Amino acid sequence: MEKFKYMEEYGYEQLCFFQDKNTGLKAIVCVHNTVLGPALGGTRVWNYANEEEAAEDVLRLARGMTYKSALAGLALGGGKAVIMGDPNEIRKDPTIREAFWRSFGRYVNGLSGRYITAEDVGTSTQDMVYVNMETNHVVGLPGRSGDPSPFTALGVFKSIQACCRHVYGDNSVEGKTIAVQGAGNVGYYLCQLLHEAGAKIFISDVVDERVKRVVEEFKATPVDKDAIYSTFADIYAPCALGATINDDTIPQLKCKIVCGGANNVLKNPLVHGRALQERGITYAPDYLANAGGVINVSYEHAEGGYNEEAARRDIDRIYNRMREVLRISDETGALAFQTADKLAEGRIEAMRNVRAILSPRR
């Protein structure tokens, strides 16, 4: 990847590489856009094959966060951090774990508030507590908004209801079959909401214990991780990693709706978004569906402090936003993600103009 060329094409502001030989920290922070406010996005720990793969992932994720915050109506821009490594290895030694995350916190603090971090795949609220020892530019802390996963799941649930209303004329999921890929934090809480609403759940995950938990608690049916795509279901809900909608999986799908908590679900948005449309499958833009978590943690920066009731009220609004996107998409023939992108970009551009008018002379 020609990084400067890619960043120029998609409007990135900053890509930073950090390392700490003593703790083994190898991190990349990307700030995509700060027109609406400081760039907020979680920190992901993953066993990337190489630096190039990690850089490509953080670039895609950061841009997605810009659109997510913009469409959610937040005064935040988009950013992301990825760390190369095994999260289980980092957690093994408590002393190393603290030093590792406090080292990362110092680097985040050095960005002077341009980037605000939070937990993500491979991280926990305790990790963020260590980060907070070195910087205030972190959200999702215990005693404040806490774990964002239940709120992300709530937004996905609202999006599934909106998709059901669009496709079936009724927002109820009672009696509907949902193939959920990924039983981690977001997937687990989504299954809980679906079960309480009367849905029938098929579940897969690379970790057997996670599947067992969902099966036991929510009467789900376990499915092999490679068979989840071809499972007969009304809805496929990807809640693991991205790019699960691709050339190999689309021909296998036997659903009417794709709506989940994962980021960057479409491997190639234009190609695979079009392929879903041609097969008559409704796609819920992922960064709109999974915005509940960022909406919740954003209230840690709100005037007056964290307010869960206000956060839940804003998450409920995802339902109407999703309905609007799907309606416009049908009326114009545009792909759903293109419609969502256009709405997000319109808000960013409007605020860019306002800032140009109001900014003081230097």
Side-chain angles (χ1 to χ4, degrees), residues 223 226-233 249 251-254:
V223 177
D226 295 322
I228 193 69
Y229 307 106
S230 58
T231 300
F232 283 93
T249 61
Q252 301 179 53
L253 294 176
K254 297 178 176 65

Side-chain angles (χ1 to χ4, degrees), residues 319-333:
Y319 175 88
N320 286 330
R321 288 194 192 98
M322 187 63 73
R323 288 203 63 198
E324 180 185 13
V325 166
L326 296 178
R327 177 187 60 79
I328 294 172
S329 178
D330 271 7
E331 290 177 355
T332 62

Side-chain angles (χ1 to χ4, degrees), residues 17 175 211 225:
F17 290 74
V211 172
K225 62 182 178 65

